Amino acid sequence: LQQFAYIASHDLQEPLRMVANFTQLLADRYGDKLDRDAKDFIGYAVEGAIRMQTLLLDLLALSRVGTRGQDFEAVRLDEPLGSALENLRFAIQEAGATVSHDDLPAVMADSSQIVQVFQNLIGNAVKFRSAEPPRVHVSAVRTGDEWTFSVRDNGIGFEPQYAERIFSAFQRLHTRDEYPGTGIGLAICKKIVERHHGRIWAESKPGSGSTFDFTIPAAGVPADYAPPGVSAA
Ligand SMILES: Nc1ncnc2c1ncn2[C@@H]1O[C@H](COP(=O)(O)OP(=O)(O)O)[C@@H](O)[C@H]1O
Ligand SMILES: [Mg+2]
């Protein structure tokens, strides 16, 4: 599956780009000769091609978790969290969301993969918002020999019976019309967390927000580790 996903998403990009480009060209060059229906049909074709492009890119990202991972190093998770928030700046602004967080500890991790985890979880928290302005909180709790990180929101929530299913690729509880997406984000999170020897799970109820938790082992961070910019005592 790993190899299939990789090859499929690689080799399908090119022909798909052709479909999208030439359909777009048709619209641009012959637009004034086409009637309303023909223009609508072209619009659907372009939309379909773009959606498939997004799917393939997501699938590629999923397959790269295992093949393109970096070595683990000590990282204070504030740092990848900061990058994720930066990447989500417009979505956060547009939704009028407030994202707060605890001081996060250092763990042994692939920082750019942790960016993806926070970005997917916080992106979901903002996307699946209720009528209230989204409030998202990221916390960290030490439990024995691991850290549990939580992303809690006040969004629409979901039925607890779906809490496991949503971590499989393409599993979505909402239609694309309601909330855009491909249903791969949480599958990527799960694969990344498992690569870090952790677990990920969700708790929710419709209307009372959701909490996504993941663990990362606490061991392995050098005792004298001081994050960049902070001098050791
Ligand atoms: N914070 C959340 N609140 C409510 N539902 C969520 C949340 N995060 C994920 N979900 C549900 O889990 C599904 C899968 O999430 P994900 O894999 O990120 O896919 P996508 O964001 O593309 O829909 C979503 O479609 C949604 O139904
Ligand atoms: Mg998502």
Side-chain angles (χ1 to χ4, degrees):
L1 180 66
Q2 175 90 10
Q3 213 164 17
F4 167 77
Y6 184 78
I7 292 167
S9 42
H10 243 192
D11 296 353
L12 286 175
Q13 302 279 347
E14 178 54 29
L16 189 57
R17 230 187 327 267
M18 260 171 77
V19 173
N21 289 349
F22 281 97
T23 318
Q24 190 61 57
L25 195 64
L26 199 61
D28 291 347
R29 196 172 300 174
Y30 300 99
D32 44 4
K33 298 197 181 70
L34 298 174
D35 67 10
R36 179 66 180 270
D37 273 0
K39 282 185 198 165
D40 281 352
F41 297 161
I42 288 180
Y44 294 136
V46 172
E47 199 184 296
I50 290 173
R51 202 159 75 223
M52 200 187 295
Q53 225 154 26
T54 312
L55 257 164
L56 288 176
L57 288 177
D58 280 2
L59 209 50
L60 194 58
L62 180 64
S63 77
R64 278 181 174 163
V65 171
T67 55
R68 296 280 178 92
Q70 306 286 308
D71 290 343
F72 295 170
E73 49 182 25
V75 236
R76 270 195 61 167
L77 289 206
D78 303 77
E79 196 188 309
L81 174 63
S83 307
L85 292 177
E86 182 59 33
N87 297 342
L88 289 167
R89 193 166 53 170
F90 290 111
I92 289 172
Q93 236 167 42
E94 204 188 329
T98 322
V99 183
S100 54
H101 66 91
D102 294 356
D103 267 345
L104 300 185
V107 294
M108 295 303 290
D110 175 341
S111 187
S112 63
Q113 291 195 333
I114 302 298
V115 174
Q116 292 181 58
V117 171
F118 280 133
Q119 197 170 324
N120 277 312
L121 296 181
I122 298 168
N124 282 345
V126 171
K127 173 163 60 172
F128 298 104
R129 61 180 174 270
S130 63
E132 309 194 0
R135 275 180 288 109
V136 185
H137 185 73
V138 182
S139 56
V141 176
R142 176 72 182 253
T143 36
D145 50 10
E146 60 189 13
W147 284 98
T148 302
F149 299 93
S150 304
V151 177
R152 190 177 70 230
D153 67 49
N154 63 339
I156 56 174
F158 53 85
E159 296 284 354
Q161 75 203 77
Y162 299 121
E164 276 180 44
R165 187 189 302 179
I166 53 177
F167 290 97
S168 302
F170 305 119
Q171 294 290 332
R172 312 190 70 226
L173 307 177
H174 305 91
T175 67
R176 230 180 24 248
D177 297 334
E178 291 174 293
Y179 301 92
T182 53
I184 292 184
L186 289 179
I188 290 177
C189 291
K190 184 173 157 77
K191 211 165 158 189
I192 291 175
V193 168
E194 287 176 352
R195 180 172 175 249
H196 285 76
H197 313 292
R199 289 161 287 121
I200 185 167
W201 67 96
E203 279 170 57
S204 187
K205 260 193 301 186
S208 24
S210 310
T211 305
F212 285 80
D213 291 319
F214 64 94
T215 61
I216 297 188
V221 180
D224 61 349
Y225 172 72
V230 177
S231 53

